[in-house]
Amino acid sequence: MPYIAGLDIGSAQSKAVIMQNRTLLAYSTRPTEGNFTQSAEDVLKAALEKAKLSYASIDLIGALGLGAVFISYPFTKISDISCQSRGTHFLFPSVRTLIEVGNQASKIIKVTAAGKVSDCLVSDRCAAGSSRVLQIIAKVLKVDLEDMGALSLNSTHPVKFTTGCAVFLETEAISRVAEGMSKENIVAGLHQTLAARISAMALRMRLEGDYVITGGGAKDGGLVKVMEAKMGQRLLVPEEPLITGAIGAALIAFERNN
């Protein structure tokens, strides 16, 4: 059976998967760091090493993401939404609603029983509606992004932010720090604001379960918990929420070739 690679070269993170016969053999993720071509080469190389394969072993490559056009290998370009839907369905066949909290935007995707897209709503390009705002506030608070979820869960009085703009959210966060507000309460307030925006999007669509959350936001346990409370739904989280698009790219590339 052929070996298929899936690449998702995003603005913040690059991801690669290696698959054979609908089996995920290996994956790798790494920061893009502004160099799409080099990042694509490095992340694919790392995934191949984990699978104990060489580039010569790869029969097909499917790709998505902002930096996909900079990939130096021959590949099949596939839409982000199709890849996310297909890859998430591969991991969770019961999924009917996908919430992707990505670095550039958040998306609510309705998924069919076959893993295809039946409807989709995308947030505006403001960072306040994506996981990018988590990175911005993490820098303000001088905490690791990976620690944001734990901080939020320890909050007792979440800060109420008065704006939905990322620039003003940053300014407000700086002001709250100066006022002596705890990091826990600031992060919890941020989660409330981001979850409210995404939940409002979801309420505009007729959604059904099961519900899955992916993207960088899905790695933040505090945000996931607030999202569940606001939506009144349990959200399934992949073991690695960043690679669903790359999985979908590999699967769709294989299906198109056949």
Side-chain angles (χ1 to χ4, degrees):
M1 296 295 292
Y3 291 106
I4 315 298
L7 295 177
D8 180 357
I9 311 303
S11 58
Q13 291 282 329
S14 293
K15 316 91 177 175
V17 302
I18 307 298
M19 302 187 72
Q20 183 187 38
N21 193 26
R22 290 181 51 81
T23 298
L24 179 62
L25 302 180
Y27 69 84
S28 180
T29 68
R30 57 152 291 156
T32 300
E33 298 177 334
N35 190 330
F36 294 123
T37 301
Q38 188 62 52
S39 185
E41 292 177 357
D42 290 346
V43 78
L44 178 57
K45 180 181 178 182
L48 286 168
E49 288 176 351
K50 289 181 180 180
K52 297 181 179 179
L53 296 170
S54 67
Y55 174 72
S57 305
I58 299 299
D59 297 281
L60 288 169
I61 296 178
L64 71 151
L66 180 68
V69 294
F70 295 95
I71 295 173
S72 57
Y73 311 113
F75 69 95
T76 299
K77 180 74 166 67
I78 308 166
S79 76
D80 292 28
I81 293 173
S82 295
C83 289
Q84 291 293 344
S85 176
R86 189 72 177 83
T88 303
H89 180 269
F90 171 80
L91 297 175
F92 298 101
S94 62
V95 63
R96 294 298 176 269
T97 298
L98 168 60
I99 302 169
E100 183 200 357
V101 186
N103 184 64
Q104 289 191 299
S106 292
K107 305 180 184 74
I108 309 292
I109 303 172
K110 294 177 71 172
V111 184
T112 70
K116 297 183 180 298
V117 178
S118 65
D119 198 4
C120 177
L121 187 61
V122 182
S123 69
D124 57 45
R125 289 295 176 177
C126 174
S130 69
S131 64
R132 173 64 181 156
V133 73
L134 299 175
Q135 301 171 41
I136 293 171
I137 303 303
K139 288 183 178 179
V140 169
L141 300 179
K142 298 179 181 179
V143 300
D144 291 335
L145 190 61
E146 295 77 13
D147 296 333
M148 296 277 274
L151 283 171
S152 174
L153 295 175
N154 289 325
S155 169
T156 54
H157 295 90
V159 169
K160 289 187 177 180
F161 287 97
T162 59
T163 180
C165 169
V167 175
F168 293 123
L169 274 172
E170 181 179 8
T171 302
E172 274 199 77
I174 294 171
S175 297
R176 299 294 85 81
V177 171
E179 293 166 5
M181 300 289 186
S182 72
K183 293 179 180 180
E184 290 84 355
N185 290 334
I186 293 173
V187 174
L190 172 64
H191 285 163
Q192 292 283 349
T193 300
L194 180 55
R197 291 191 66 154
I198 299 172
S199 299
M201 288 172 55
L203 291 174
R204 293 163 60 184
M205 305 173 71
R206 288 188 176 183
L207 303 178
E208 58 181 292
D210 283 343
Y211 294 75
V212 179
I213 183 169
T214 67
K219 299 175 79 72
D220 187 321
L223 176 62
V224 173
K225 184 175 180 179
V226 175
M227 286 285 301
E228 288 180 325
K230 287 193 176 294
M231 295 186 65
Q233 300 290 342
R234 174 173 174 253
L235 301 181
L236 301 173
V237 183
E239 180 179 343
E240 175 44 85
L242 296 178
I243 64 171
T244 49
I247 291 173
L251 292 171
I252 294 173
F254 176 72
E255 290 162 3
R256 287 184 180 179
N257 189 65
N258 287 272

